[in-house]
Amino acid sequence: MRYEKGHKEATRQHIIEVAARRFRENGVAGAGLAGVMSDAGLTNGAFYSHFESKDALVRESIMYAVDKRMSQLQIAIEKNLTLEQTIRDYLSPRHREEAGKGCPTAALVAEIARQPKETRDEYSGKVESHLKLLASRLPNGSNEKRRRVALALHAMMIGTLQLARAVSNKKLSDEILQSGVKSALEFVSLSSD
Amino acid sequence: MRYEKGHKEATRQHIIEVAARRFRENGVAGAGLAGVMSDAGLTNGAFYSHFESKDALVRESIMYAVDKRMSQLQIAIEKNLTLEQTIRDYLSPRHREEAGKGCPTAALVAEIARQPKETRDEYSGKVESHLKLLASRLPNGSNEKRRRVALALHAMMIGTLQLARAVSNKKLSDEILQSGVKSALEFVSLSSD
DNA sequence: TGTACATCAGTGAACGCGCGTTCACTGATGTAC
DNA sequence: TGTACATCAGTGAACGCGCGTTCACTGATGTAC
């Protein structure tokens, strides 16, 4: 064969990674397949030998991005990074600026709500996993309580990041991030008594 | 004239209202002008005698929807409805289901981040106003503290509603809403001591 | 070892379609005389 | 009072463009004999 073994699988994976970035940057509806394929260094004709449809790529690339974020969280735990550091990283100017490399939920959650059932089904499972992971990082309380706090903390973090991205007033945007860090930390500590 | 006085202004307003709904339902990138005009009972040719471009309609309809929501909040205050009731309405199954009539921030915040500067500038001002209004409803604390809590509460509410919309698992979605209400109330009360 | 054929990832042109936008036209009414 | 013209909100066809998708083809390599 022309290409080394595993080449096609590697190309497919490359398309998924490039797409995951483009979708987070421009939105699912705002990013076209020609752009994705061009980013991947290919022509658009090659797309359909890798995926059944745009919907299929959207689904796979969102799941890939969510999995990757969760494994980063997992690595942070193994490195003994504090929950405070995780919150500070999430609500940082860097994360605000680099939506394409950041949290797929913050970038795409509203569009996920309009995706086909299969995508939303898989996403629901990821949300469950994410909640378990986040709850495991909370200091104390019953399982039920930690799950509830994890949910609120997650919602607060995605909402805060989205607001910071939407406003054009830099001062306000910075305030939103800093205020968000403070409130998130306060919420976690107050909820652990 | 063929039409009564104020007819054109009324038509323009009608287009804005119809567009505000469509954009919230399908996203800005997912909703076309032909669909909006057809919803308004007009043909697409009429559009450009009312607006300069799609961007202009997007900007005007988002500002309209935000203003309308804020005036509803204002009315709730005048009727002496509690903050708890406002939170329960926001995180209700009804609001989850009726995105087209609901909070424009929850539906569109990620897309607003990609809009032209003028739209984001105006939106920034609306966020400021909304924060002031929400802070005024918090029980006590310094102005600075109430502003911070208002921001966190707002972020938590939009994030929670978005998550509840995105997951397809009804049980999980209901849990997200109910858990969100509990956490929001807890956050407000813990932050007021 | 050399030649003929099979494989298959990727190319690039083309498809129909809906997009945002433009424009010549319509037709009901108001105004001028 | 009756006729000619001006107004202007709305019509509907058309524009070029990019979308998702299809497909005949390419060309480098592996395999058969």
Side-chain angles (χ1 to χ4, degrees), chain B:
Chain B
M1 298 200 185
R2 224 167 13 142
Y3 301 97
E4 67 274 33
K5 198 178 173 228
H7 167 88
K8 191 175 185 189
E9 189 49 46
T11 300
R12 182 186 154 88
Q13 183 57 31
H14 182 52
I15 294 169
I16 288 174
E17 289 172 22
V18 157
R21 179 196 269 253
R22 272 246 174 186
F23 291 147
R24 278 175 286 186
E25 274 171 4
N26 305 325
V28 165
L33 293 183
V36 168
M37 293 304 280
S38 152
D39 280 2
L42 296 165
T43 54
N44 47 357
F47 180 80
Y48 290 88
S49 62
H50 291 286
F51 302 94
E52 213 198 68
S53 62
K54 182 181 181 182
D55 279 348
L57 175 64
V58 168
R59 174 168 33 83
E60 289 209 49
S61 60
I62 289 173
M63 298 316 143
Y64 164 78
V66 173
D67 283 343
K68 187 154 183 192
R69 258 211 97 68
M70 281 180 57
S71 76
Q72 283 167 354
L73 241 175
Q74 192 66 57
I75 288 167
I77 294 174
E78 282 156 18
K79 282 187 180 166
N80 284 319
L81 292 187
T82 59
L83 179 57
E84 170 165 354
Q85 195 51 57
T86 297
I87 291 169
R88 287 192 185 282
D89 285 350
Y90 194 95
L91 298 178
S92 65
R94 184 164 202 262
H95 194 188
R96 174 185 61 199
E97 260 94 68
E98 300 195 327
K101 300 180 187 172
C103 173
T105 293
L108 300 173
V109 65
E111 283 196 280
I112 290 170
R114 290 178 222 115
Q115 292 300 308
K117 175 160 169 34
E118 194 177 349
T119 302
R120 299 175 66 224
D121 284 348
E122 289 188 24
Y123 182 72
S124 302
K126 301 295 180 192
V127 170
E128 274 290 3
S129 309
H130 185 82
L131 284 183
K132 288 201 178 81
L133 190 57
L134 190 54
S136 79
R137 300 203 62 185
L138 293 175
N140 49 43
S142 67
N143 280 350
E144 194 191 330
K145 171 93 187 247
R146 280 152 71 199
R147 180 177 168 90
R148 185 166 64 70
V149 173
L151 204 28
L153 182 60
H154 182 46
M156 203 164 125
M157 285 167 75
I158 67 173
T160 301
L161 185 61
Q162 288 175 320
L163 280 173
R165 282 177 179 158
V167 301
S168 58
N169 180 335
K170 176 152 183 3
K171 213 167 197 164
L172 177 57
S173 180
D174 287 346
E175 182 205 346
I176 289 170
L177 290 182
Q178 284 158 26
S179 163
V181 169
K182 199 163 175 181
S183 292
L185 293 175
E186 184 181 277
F187 179 64
V188 170
S189 91
L190 288 176
S191 299
S192 312
D193 300 337

